Amino acid sequence: MLYKFLSNFSTSTLRKAEQEQSNIFLIFLLLVIGLGLPAHANQVSQIKTIAPQSSYDVSHHYFTTLLQNILESTAAEYGPSQVVYSSQMEQGRALYELTKGSKLDVYWAGTSISRERTLIPIRIPLLKGLLGFRASIIRAEDEEKFKAITSLEQLQELTACQGAHWPDSDILENAGMAVRRNPVYENMFTELAEGRCDFFPRGIHEGGSEVAARLAIYPNLKLFTDFVIYYPFPMYFFVSSKNPELAERISKGLETNIDSGSLDKHLQSHPVTSRLFPMEQWKDKQIFVLDNPLLPRNTPTENNRYWITP
């Protein structure tokens, strides 16, 4: 009798549980079909990029906020995404990790032939080509020496500090300049302040902010803008060759930002780049134009939609 009771109880309970699970699944299925959305549609994907190179890396915010704008403007098609930071990396390591496609999903960098062979470049300059305009961070006591420079030959007598893995180093060396390379971003300011190099060419959008951010620790550094070095050198977003969908998404988002005027607004209003405007302030500067042998031949440098040229 007891066995029959337990047997009937177990069978009844199992049937009831199975019916409840079936009902839950049907409700979920109807919701998905009714809304016309995939089951993962409300999940926020994470797009990994580098952390700031140091606490003084003022340019980092410009690119990460631009990237987040791009992700938001393409969310309707690709789903919601959030920029998150991986570990702090110097450029060479970041490009290596991006090639592997595990620790990083996207990274911004100046382009080169070799980089475009191993990664997918989104060929829309994030600074509209202004990265190629370089002002020089110098020691304040050397200002008169730099004011006396009127030719590239005079500049070739001095030593520039640059990143070990930056294409800029190769470009400057190709132009006959001596370059002291360092793999660590922050160390280049130290080397300049201590006299191990004479000047540190930086994009005209970043040099002033970098000097201001380090005023307390390097009070003898200043940005010198009497002359500008120029070479065609676009800054692109790069993604792994394993992730063409993300490349497509970023490209569409950038084009949308250009059409809406958001890219120009970002460039002209962000604290790092706003000091570039109005552009008329640069028109009377002496410009030393250098060749860029690393620039891929199909770089659209004449397209005014994307480029501001000298």
Side-chain angles (χ1 to χ4, degrees):
M1 197 66 153
L2 180 60
Y3 172 79
K4 185 175 181 181
F5 170 79
L6 291 174
S7 178
N8 290 337
F9 175 82
S10 299
T11 302
S12 174
T13 303
L14 285 171
R15 286 175 178 170
K16 184 178 180 181
E18 288 171 353
Q19 184 62 47
E20 288 176 351
Q21 288 177 348
S22 178
N23 289 340
I24 291 171
F25 176 77
L26 284 172
I27 291 171
F28 175 77
L29 186 61
L30 287 171
L31 282 172
V32 171
I33 294 172
L35 293 173
L37 297 173
H40 61 276
N42 291 323
Q43 295 177 358
V44 178
S45 65
Q46 294 186 336
I47 305 299
K48 301 185 294 296
T49 190
I50 63 165
Q53 295 183 77
S54 77
S55 58
Y56 304 105
D57 185 2
V58 292
S59 295
H60 185 272
H61 185 263
Y62 174 89
F63 297 106
T64 53
T65 51
L66 176 59
L67 179 59
Q68 187 61 51
N69 289 343
I70 290 167
L71 297 176
E72 290 171 3
S73 68
T74 54
E77 181 175 357
Y78 295 92
S81 295
Q82 179 69 38
V83 177
V84 297
Y85 301 155
S86 182
S87 56
Q88 188 181 98
M89 303 179 198
E90 297 306 322
Q91 191 170 101
R93 172 70 186 280
L95 291 167
Y96 169 74
E97 293 295 346
L98 187 61
T99 302
K100 290 169 58 180
S102 54
K103 292 184 179 180
L104 293 180
D105 297 310
V106 60
Y107 179 54
W108 56 92
T111 197
S112 70
I113 295 170
S114 62
R115 290 176 179 180
E116 293 196 18
R117 282 175 181 163
T118 56
L119 298 164
I120 301 177
I122 293 84
R123 292 189 179 92
I124 300 174
L126 306 178
L127 297 161
K128 303 199 82 169
L130 293 175
L131 179 66
F133 291 88
R134 320 295 284 186
S136 297
I137 301 176
I138 64 171
R139 293 182 295 277
E141 59 266 30
D142 290 339
E143 184 172 10
E144 291 305 315
K145 178 171 70 175
F146 276 84
K147 282 181 176 293
I149 294 175
T150 58
S151 69
L152 183 60
E153 288 74 22
Q154 290 173 291
L155 198 57
Q156 289 169 339
E157 296 175 3
L158 304 176
T159 300
C161 270
Q162 285 289 278
H165 305 288
W166 295 358
D168 308 83
S169 298
D170 297 324
I171 294 167
L172 294 174
E173 287 178 345
N174 181 72
M177 296 187 191
V179 177
R180 183 179 177 89
R181 296 176 181 245
N182 196 298
V184 181
Y185 166 73
E186 201 59 40
N187 287 355
M188 286 175 269
F189 296 94
T190 304
E191 293 203 321
L192 176 60
E194 295 180 354
R196 296 191 207 116
C197 60
D198 300 301
F199 64 114
F200 185 12
R202 301 296 288 146
I204 56 174
H205 68 286
E206 57 197 351
S209 299
E210 290 174 330
V211 169
R214 295 165 179 80
L215 185 62
I217 54 176
Y218 301 120
N220 66 324
L221 298 185
K222 68 171 298 180
L223 185 67
F224 183 79
T225 61
D226 284 19
F227 62 75
V228 174
I229 300 169
Y230 175 75
Y231 40 88
F233 189 43
M235 175 81 81
Y236 293 154
F237 279 130
F238 286 88
V239 303
S240 168
S241 59
K242 302 173 184 176
N243 202 348
E245 183 178 282
L246 180 58
E248 178 185 76
R249 177 177 187 172
I250 293 173
S251 179
K252 287 183 179 180
L254 277 170
E255 294 288 2
T256 298
N257 273 252
I258 291 172
D259 289 337
S260 68
S262 295
L263 179 58
D264 282 344
K265 182 178 179 180
H266 188 68
L267 185 63
Q268 294 174 23
S269 63
H270 193 277
V272 169
T273 50
S274 61
R275 67 185 67 220
L276 298 178
F277 301 92
M279 292 301 295
E280 287 74 21
Q281 66 182 296
W282 304 99
K283 69 178 182 179
D284 294 325
K285 303 291 184 182
Q286 183 176 15
I287 298 180
F288 299 129
V289 179
L290 309 183
D291 181 42
N292 181 357
L294 308 179
L295 192 69
R297 290 186 178 181
N298 58 349
T299 304
T301 58
E302 304 302 320
N303 190 333
N304 292 332
R305 175 175 171 82
Y306 306 124
W307 284 76
I308 298 174
T309 54

